[in-house]
Amino acid sequence: MEKTKLLTVAVITLLLLNLGTLGFLFLTGPKGHHPNPEEGQEGRPKAREIIIEKLHFDANQQKEYDKLIKWHQVEIRTIEDNIRAAKNKLYLQLNKEEVDEKAKVTLIDDMSVYQRQIETTHFKHFEDIKKLCHKEQIEDFNDLTEELGRIFSKGQRPPEPRHE
């Protein structure tokens, strides 16, 4: 009878873990894929192309910009992986008899720190882009900064034409 109880507990535990994992995947979407503004979406210009066009980057600037993009993508993916791991640990708390409040608060705090790192990384990326600009491109860069929120928002929309 003892083996039957152990087997029942194991099956129930595995079932709960599977349900928790499925719930987590359902809530976060497939493999945490978020649209990458640098890659663009079908029928819409890529953010890379928009920036190159608006700043009138020459071939050398485009080459340097591509290096900045690669760095930025690696940094953001790493931080997003950390967020996914923290979320997974957080939601696994739901499988426990009693949620560890200290762990819950710590994991949520960790996620807010990671989100801050994402915003800091985005900002540094644009500081680096500004450094690529020649003196005559700075005004174009300043104009671009007014459009960044729209260009890099989820569901990236193409920039609206400016009327002057």
Side-chain angles (χ1 to χ4, degrees), residues 51-69:
I51 289 173
I52 288 171
E53 179 184 329
K54 290 197 174 285
L55 299 180
H56 312 289
F57 276 171
D58 61 30
N60 288 334
Q61 287 172 310
Q62 289 180 39
K63 187 176 175 183
E64 291 302 311
Y65 178 45
D66 287 338
K67 290 178 188 176
L68 293 178
I69 290 171

Side-chain angles (χ1 to χ4, degrees), residues 79-132:
I79 299 167
E80 286 178 340
D81 288 345
N82 291 337
I83 290 173
R84 272 189 296 282
K87 279 185 181 182
N88 194 30
K89 289 177 185 174
L90 175 66
Y91 292 119
L92 285 176
Q93 288 291 316
L94 296 170
N95 292 337
K96 296 183 176 182
E97 187 81 18
E98 193 172 315
V99 172
D100 179 346
E101 286 298 316
K102 185 177 178 184
K104 178 179 93 171
V105 168
T106 299
L107 290 165
I108 291 170
D109 287 346
D110 288 350
M111 286 187 281
S112 68
V113 168
Y114 295 138
Q115 188 60 46
R116 182 181 179 95
Q117 289 174 352
I118 285 175
E119 297 309 321
T120 301
T121 302
H122 288 328
F123 195 84
K124 182 186 180 328
H125 181 60
F126 285 102
E127 286 179 315
D128 292 342
I129 292 171
K130 184 177 183 179
K131 290 175 187 173
L132 288 180

